[in-house]
């Protein structure tokens, strides 16, 4: 009987340790840090972190989106990732530049007006990839964003320029574009809202 009890306790202890180790590899929404305007999500065991979005304040026509090498001691290994929510559901957390709800007194709209009317604003995003980034979630095409009011309407387009830490073992940058170091193939990133316009015209 004592032997069975000891075995059960051992199994329970082992299961508990596995649970603790497994939970340590999770990302949670509350485990965040902000650095240079970028939201960074840190894994519970502090062995990795990923970069989320940077919020643009609408005040300048350029944004510096710098991915640090480390945050809170954890290496930043990815752009975008998965967060654990309630009932162990994984929630996708993308990366990129989040635009404000209002711009120069105009309200952001869900859809562009026919013809995409409005004063066009180009937001130049300078993205710097840190040393440890080895994975980038594709966030899709950069769509133009419209703001409308009786006083003035605007269409904001994005243009991205990418640089990369020369010590990064996965990627390298050249001419403002990002490539895989292993074979020189382009990384799956959309660099310009023009791509969106080209897709619509095809």
């Amino acid at each position: 009987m004592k032997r069975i009890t000891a075995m059960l306790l051992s199994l329970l202890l082992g299961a508990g340790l596995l649970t603790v180790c497994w939970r340590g590899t999770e990302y949670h929404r509350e485990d965040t840090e902000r650095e240079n305007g970028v939201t960074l999500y840190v894994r519970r065991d502090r062995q990795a972190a990923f970069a989320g979005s940077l919020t643009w304040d609408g005040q300048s026509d350029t944004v510096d989106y710098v991915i640090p090498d480390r945050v809170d001691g954890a290496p930043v290994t990815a752009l975008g990732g998965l967060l654990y929510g309630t009932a162990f559901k994984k929630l996708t957390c993308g990366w990129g530049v989040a635009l404000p709800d209002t711009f120069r007194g105009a309200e952001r709209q869900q859809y562009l007006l026919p013809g995409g009317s409005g004063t066009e604003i180009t937001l130049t995003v300078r993205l710097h990839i840190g040393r440890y980034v080895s994975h980038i979630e594709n966030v899709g095409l950069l769509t133009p964003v419209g703001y409308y009011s009786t006083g003035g309407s605007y269409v904001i387009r994005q243009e991205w320029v990418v640089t990369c830490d020369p010590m990064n073992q996965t990627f390298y940058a050249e001419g403002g574009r990002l490539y895989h170091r292993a074979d020189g193939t382009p990384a799956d990133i959309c660099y310009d809202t023009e791509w969106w316009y080209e897709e619509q015209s095809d």
Side-chain angles (χ1 to χ4, degrees), residues 70-173:
R70 292 181 179 272
V71 58
D72 199 16
V76 182
T77 60
L79 272 62
L82 293 173
L83 295 173
Y84 278 90
T86 57
F88 300 106
K89 291 181 179 177
K90 291 182 179 179
L91 309 172
T92 302
C93 179
W95 61 278
V97 173
L99 302 185
D101 292 330
T102 59
F103 177 73
R104 298 180 183 175
E107 296 289 330
R108 180 172 177 168
Q109 301 296 310
Q110 186 173 0
Y111 303 103
L112 288 177
L113 290 175
S117 59
T119 301
E120 289 201 356
I121 306 291
T122 298
L123 173 64
T124 301
V125 181
R126 297 188 292 247
L127 169 66
H128 179 73
I129 303 290
R131 178 176 181 176
Y132 301 109
V133 173
S134 60
H135 178 73
I136 299 176
E137 292 285 344
N138 180 15
V139 294
L141 296 174
L142 294 172
T143 59
V145 177
Y147 292 82
Y148 301 104
S149 74
T150 55
S153 298
Y154 307 91
V155 176
I156 296 176
R157 302 161 67 179
Q158 295 183 44
E159 184 177 271
W160 287 61
V161 179
V162 182
T163 57
C164 184
D165 188 298
M167 298 297 289
N168 189 296
Q169 297 298 303
T170 305
F171 301 106
Y172 71 93

Side-chain angles (χ1 to χ4, degrees), residues 141-143 190 192-202:
L141 296 174
L142 294 172
T143 59
C190 177
D192 198 313
T193 306
E194 285 295 336
W195 290 21
W196 184 88
Y197 284 112
E198 291 169 6
E199 287 286 328
Q200 302 308 302
S201 62
D202 286 346

